[in-house]
Amino acid sequence: MATIVITSYNVKGFNAPSKRCQIFSHLKKKECSVAMLQETHFRFNHYPNLSYSFYPDWYHCGSGSSASGGVSIGFRKDVSFQLLAQILDPEGRYLLLKGTIANQIYTLINIYAPNTNQFEWFKTLLPIVETFMEGITIMGGDFNVTFEPRLDTTSLKSTLSHKNLINLKKKFISLGLIDVWRTLNPSTRDYTFYSNPHCSYNRLDYILISKEHISSCSKSYIDSSSLIMPLYLPMYKPPKFLLKSIDGGLMNNYYPLLTILLSSRNILRNFLY
């Protein structure tokens, strides 16, 4: 049985070569297979060549109006991800990928939610996710929300009103997405962010997975402000076995590559309603 290790990491800038070296070293040390990075500070359609042999394959969504956003998903060299479709947010706050690893369809979602009006933002995003998701769905990122105020923040207060927090939880439940770390650590306190203005520690970073696949996760832990989740998947094989199977079936089920860019609120409305 092979392991795919998913890591969610708010890097707070990924442009400086020295910073990239530091992050790549961290990912390699933690044996990360799929990296979900937030706040890369990449601008839309202006992406650097991340020439690091251990993580050669990257998908980016940069910010069009602010240098503070940007999300990226990268794959270790032994993970053969075949892209089928993607959705990019022009504000650089989410990136949705659909593809295959060893003939299994995955939907990978990386988000960097705003620190205000989070409920409204998720209310727009989640219908897109519902339409797009297929196979094993994994959503990671900086949600900028504390779902369990009693455990997830030292302030004991959520960034959302009680009503909005309950409604947001219900939306994730309706999508069948489970908070892996909290499920495996039901009463543990650990945090990924310290707020100087509020003098509080918070867990704002999450990895969610389709509830039917939660049994594939036996542990999840927080390390150096990154969230790490090993996923044990018996169907996953190294690339050398994948190469033998391409002619046999993987390409027969291959979808045409689809890229969707939601470039305005009007397009969003038309897409959703």
Side-chain angles (χ1 to χ4, degrees), residues 9 18 21 44 71 94 142 146 171 180 192 197-198 204 215 241:
Y9 199 173
S18 59
C21 184
F44 194 78
V71 290
Y94 60 79
D142 184 342
T146 51
K171 289 181 183 295
V180 177
T192 59
H198 301 96
L204 303 176
S215 60
F241 296 106

Side-chain angles (χ1 to χ4, degrees), residues 42-58:
F42 295 160
R43 300 306 298 266
F44 194 78
N45 282 338
H46 291 83
Y47 307 125
N49 180 20
L50 300 180
S51 55
Y52 186 67
S53 59
F54 214 73
Y55 293 95
D57 300 320
W58 286 89

Side-chain angles (χ1 to χ4, degrees), residues 117-136:
N117 300 316
Q118 295 98 323
F119 180 75
E120 288 75 15
W121 187 81
F122 276 108
K123 190 176 178 180
T124 298
L125 171 64
L126 293 183
I128 301 172
V129 170
E130 184 176 17
T131 302
F132 188 77
M133 63 192 293
E134 182 181 356
I136 300 175

